[in-house]
């Protein structure tokens, strides 16, 4: 796991680290594992990080990260992955999907990204998938992104409040800015990780690439506190997403964390 306290720390949870990028697809043998391989063409960026996410997509306004992993310095394709999740968080009536991306630099840029969600686990979908990444040219896929200046600053700020004293040692607060325009394909624009948040409220500062913001799209904030390996969600910003940036919303949002269901 790589987590940093800072305005543009965009590094997520390392649930499992794999060090054999040229290996074949990883078979799934357990009821609490989703796995497969990530494929892409071209050289990965130096110092890149491959992030793979397992999302719950039943609620289009609240895409929830069930589990995720990060693989440092992905050297070639295909790259096998295995994500361990809590089976109690999976409901056969709900929809789940895998997404992936490769990020690099500070502030982080997206070099490769999945152009869609890959459904898994429920409703007849498999627990093993092949996920293909497409190069972005350090910008998101899609037509003509428009630069948006919000209050003269390309950032979203706010506070995260919670009632849990004390939090377990080593806990990590994560704040996410999502593009929620396509309910089948939520995209993380930027995120921040803060180590050992002990006092509430905790301020956050998400600085984003203005070329990734489209005034016609919908953007929202979520947050969670995780702990342990594999990480367990201790608190989460339910029951709703806080909308920001476009459609009359500001570049400030305050979130309240509660225990997960």
């Amino acid at each position: 796991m790589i987590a940093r306290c800072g305005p543009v720390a965009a590094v997520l949870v390392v649930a499992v680290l794999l060090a054999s990028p040229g290996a074949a697809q990883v078979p799934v043998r357990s009821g609490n594992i989703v796995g497969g391989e990530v494929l892409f063409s071209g050289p990965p960026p130096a110092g890149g990080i491959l992030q793979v996410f397992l999302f719950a997509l039943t609620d289009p306004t609240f895409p929830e990260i069930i589990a995720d992993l990060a693989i440092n310095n992905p050297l070639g394709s295909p790259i096998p992955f295995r994500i361990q999740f809590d089976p109690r968080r999976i409901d056969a009536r709900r929809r789940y999907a895998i997404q992936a991306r490769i990020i690099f630099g500070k502030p982080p840029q997206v070099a490769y990204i999945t152009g869609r969600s890959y459904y898994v686990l429920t409703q007849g979908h498999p627990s093993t998938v092949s996920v293909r990444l497409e190069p972005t040219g350090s910008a998101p896929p899609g037509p003509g992104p428009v630069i948006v200046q919000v209050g003269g600053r390309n950032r979203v700020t706010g506070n995260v409040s919670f009632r849990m004293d004390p939090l377990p040692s080593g806990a990590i607060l994560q704040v996410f800015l999502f593009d929620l325009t396509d309910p089948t394909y939520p995209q993380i624009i930027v995120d921040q990780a803060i180590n050992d948040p002990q006092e509430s409220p905790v301020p956050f500062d998400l600085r984003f690439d203005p070329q990734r913001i489209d005034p016609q799209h919908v953007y929202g904030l979520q947050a969670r506190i995780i702990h342990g390996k594999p990480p367990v969600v201790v608190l989460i910003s339910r029951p709703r997403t806080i909308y920001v940036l476009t459609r009359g919303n500001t570049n400030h949002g305050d979130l309240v964390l509660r225990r997960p269901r």
Side-chain angles (χ1 to χ4, degrees):
M1 180 182 295
I2 303 175
R4 299 177 182 175
C5 178
V8 290
V11 202
L12 299 179
V13 186
V14 181
V16 180
L17 289 179
L18 298 171
S20 54
Q25 181 170 305
V26 177
V28 175
R29 302 185 179 91
S30 174
N32 66 338
I33 296 289
V34 62
E37 60 184 3
V38 177
L39 303 101
F40 57 93
S41 300
I49 300 172
L50 170 63
Q51 299 173 319
V52 188
F53 306 95
L54 173 61
F55 277 104
L57 297 182
T58 303
D59 182 349
T61 68
F62 194 87
E64 184 177 348
I65 299 173
I66 299 298
D68 53 289
L69 68 86
I71 300 174
N72 291 321
N73 295 309
L75 299 179
S77 174
I79 298 176
F81 72 90
R82 289 168 63 90
I83 301 178
Q84 183 177 349
F85 57 86
D86 182 349
R88 295 172 298 180
R89 301 191 68 194
I90 303 299
D91 185 330
R93 299 166 296 178
R94 299 182 180 274
R95 179 174 292 180
Y96 301 89
I98 292 290
Q99 289 185 28
R101 65 179 186 171
I102 297 177
I103 61 172
F104 71 100
K106 296 179 182 179
Q109 301 178 65
V110 180
Y112 292 86
I113 197 169
T114 46
R116 64 181 179 91
S117 295
Y118 291 77
Y119 293 114
V120 291
L121 296 178
T122 61
Q123 301 180 4
H125 296 292
S127 57
T128 302
V129 290
S130 293
V131 175
R132 180 165 295 278
L133 303 183
E134 301 296 337
T136 66
S138 299
V146 180
I147 294 178
V148 174
Q149 297 285 343
V150 183
R153 297 179 180 178
N154 301 322
R155 66 204 305 179
V156 176
T157 60
N159 296 282
V160 178
S161 301
F162 53 88
R163 293 181 180 179
M164 191 176 190
D165 188 23
L167 287 171
S169 176
I172 298 173
L173 167 63
Q174 297 176 311
V175 186
F176 303 92
L177 173 63
F178 277 97
D179 183 336
L180 299 173
T181 310
D182 183 348
T184 70
Y185 182 56
Q187 296 184 58
I188 297 172
I189 300 299
V190 68
D191 54 285
Q192 180 179 354
I194 300 172
N195 289 321
D196 286 315
Q198 294 299 329
E199 295 186 3
S200 173
V202 179
F204 65 87
D205 187 344
L206 297 172
R207 301 183 185 184
F208 54 82
D209 180 353
Q211 295 189 42
R212 302 202 68 198
I213 304 299
D214 187 321
Q216 303 303 315
H217 285 201
V218 179
Y219 299 91
L221 294 171
Q222 292 182 28
R224 65 179 186 170
I225 292 177
I226 59 172
H227 176 259
K229 295 182 180 181
V232 174
V233 177
V234 179
L235 298 169
I236 194 168
S237 56
R238 284 195 173 278
R240 64 189 182 93
T241 296
I242 304 298
Y243 295 105
V244 291
L245 291 178
T246 59
R247 303 193 179 187
N249 296 299
T250 70
N251 65 330
H252 183 91
D254 293 328
L255 300 107
V256 177
L257 303 189
R258 297 177 173 85
R259 292 183 182 275
R261 294 174 182 172

